[in-house]
Amino acid sequence: MVKIGNIELGEFPLLLAPMEDVSDPPFRAVCKDNGADLMYTEFISSEGLIRDAIKSRQKLDIFPYERPVGIQIFGGDEEPMAMAAQIVETTNPDLLDINFGCPVKKVVCKGAGAGILKDIPKMVKLTAAVVKATRLPVTVKTRLGWDDNTRNIEEVAERLQDVGIQALTIHGRTRTQLYKGHADWTLIGKVKNNPRIKIPIFGNGDICTPEQTIAAREKFGVDGVMIGRAAIGYPWIFREIKHFMKTGEHLPPPTVLERVEVCKKHLRQSVSWKGDIVGILEMRRHYANYLKGLPHIKEFRQQLVTYKTLAEIEDVLDAIVSQYKDHIFERTSPPLAEQNFLPADNEMAGCNVYV
């Protein structure tokens, strides 16, 4: 049983990654329906929380159906991060996560996210301040290091454990890689198998298929995996992995009707949470992924990103079901590479692999 503090997550939990502009409550709802064991909010600026910024405060919204759920914060200064931790605690999440992995320039230039990987002593002091400021279990998500010359995640893991974090998620890339190339799970495995490490270690990076999940567990010994991009428009990835790990067999892919029904739920919850205008606008980024693999879908997709009312959009989705009701999705999973999870010629090959 994998545990973070008193939170029991099962034998090999599947975590939904915190993704900016993606991991909001409507998206988390459909992922939870399909088997995500632990989910996180989009990352929240510590400075924004202290200033009472509307967008930052809205990201604190969590709902009973999501539990266990963690709120993730980022920042580059001890006092604001400690104050933000205290604000987060009042909303009663199950845990608090610190983002030390975001590679985006506007975050990094403030010494936050992956930017703090240039200053490990500061990273440790900031983490200690957050741990001290809250009664919540504190976890961290980070990367292997700043660049190939500073892949110091083994040292980082030990030092963060020593100041009180209760789990660590490692994305298998450096900051300079951004999301390019392949995630290197070798160092993730070294951290997990370090006899000094007693906390759960979760691996993140390029997990797109059940086979890759099993490889992560068997080859590198991680306590669970965190899934990000592969879940966008395809929340079934969680149930498919769980079924395969239990039975050794693949579930059939979701039908067109299943895809549309989940898309509708996502849309309705987006409108309910954000309001008609914003809910409909922000949902537009998801349609292409929900409809991936359907031939000649361009006209329908154009309507979905043009229409402005819930009724119009649902009519289009119903028309898609009618048009494609006999379409059969076929699995085209790629073979696993020897050292990498994915074939070298395509970073995202195998993600949502149905055509």
Side-chain angles (χ1 to χ4, degrees), residues 107-253:
V107 173
V108 167
C109 70
K110 297 178 181 178
I116 206 164
L117 289 168
K118 287 183 172 182
D119 189 345
I120 302 307
K122 182 179 179 182
M123 182 186 195
V124 173
K125 287 179 64 178
L126 195 155
T127 304
V130 171
V131 170
K132 185 177 179 181
T134 180
R135 293 169 294 178
L136 295 169
V138 175
T139 63
V140 164
K141 184 172 188 284
T142 190
R143 289 179 171 237
L144 301 179
W146 176 259
D147 57 25
D148 283 340
N149 296 319
T150 56
R151 291 156 64 96
N152 46 16
I153 188 61
E154 293 177 84
E155 173 196 353
V156 166
E158 290 186 2
R159 295 182 68 177
L160 295 184
Q161 176 181 260
D162 289 347
V163 296
I165 71 165
Q166 298 193 41
L168 176 66
T169 300
I170 305 168
H171 182 96
R173 289 181 174 86
T174 63
R175 187 274 163 178
T176 56
Q177 280 183 272
L178 301 176
Y179 294 99
K180 299 175 182 177
H182 298 295
D184 178 3
W185 282 67
T186 305
L187 279 176
I188 301 175
K190 285 184 177 179
V191 172
K192 172 57 193 172
N193 293 293
N194 179 345
R196 273 209 63 208
I197 296 297
K198 307 301 180 184
I199 59 175
I201 301 296
F202 304 115
N204 173 231
D206 299 344
I207 293 290
C208 300
T209 67
E211 291 90 343
Q212 291 163 347
T213 306
I214 291 200
R217 182 183 65 179
E218 295 183 352
K219 243 179 125 174
F220 305 107
V222 293
D223 294 292
V225 297
M226 178 177 280
I227 297 169
R229 290 172 291 173
I232 299 175
Y234 201 82
W236 302 277
I237 185 70
F238 298 101
R239 76 173 188 186
E240 289 180 358
I241 289 172
K242 287 186 172 182
H243 183 82
F244 189 84
M245 293 182 76
K246 184 176 181 179
T247 67
E249 299 177 352
H250 286 284
L251 281 172

Side-chain angles (χ1 to χ4, degrees), residues 335-346:
L336 295 180
E338 185 66 29
Q339 296 297 327
N340 299 305
F341 280 136
L342 302 179
D345 62 346
N346 187 345

Side-chain angles (χ1 to χ4, degrees), residues 79-123:
E79 185 176 356
M81 285 288 280
M83 292 174 65
Q86 293 169 346
I87 294 169
V88 165
E89 185 175 308
T90 65
T91 67
N92 196 32
D94 296 285
L95 58 87
L96 170 65
D97 190 70
I98 305 173
N99 182 314
F100 288 145
C102 177
V104 176
K105 186 176 180 180
K106 67 180 181 180
V107 173
V108 167
C109 70
K110 297 178 181 178
I116 206 164
L117 289 168
K118 287 183 172 182
D119 189 345
I120 302 307
K122 182 179 179 182
M123 182 186 195

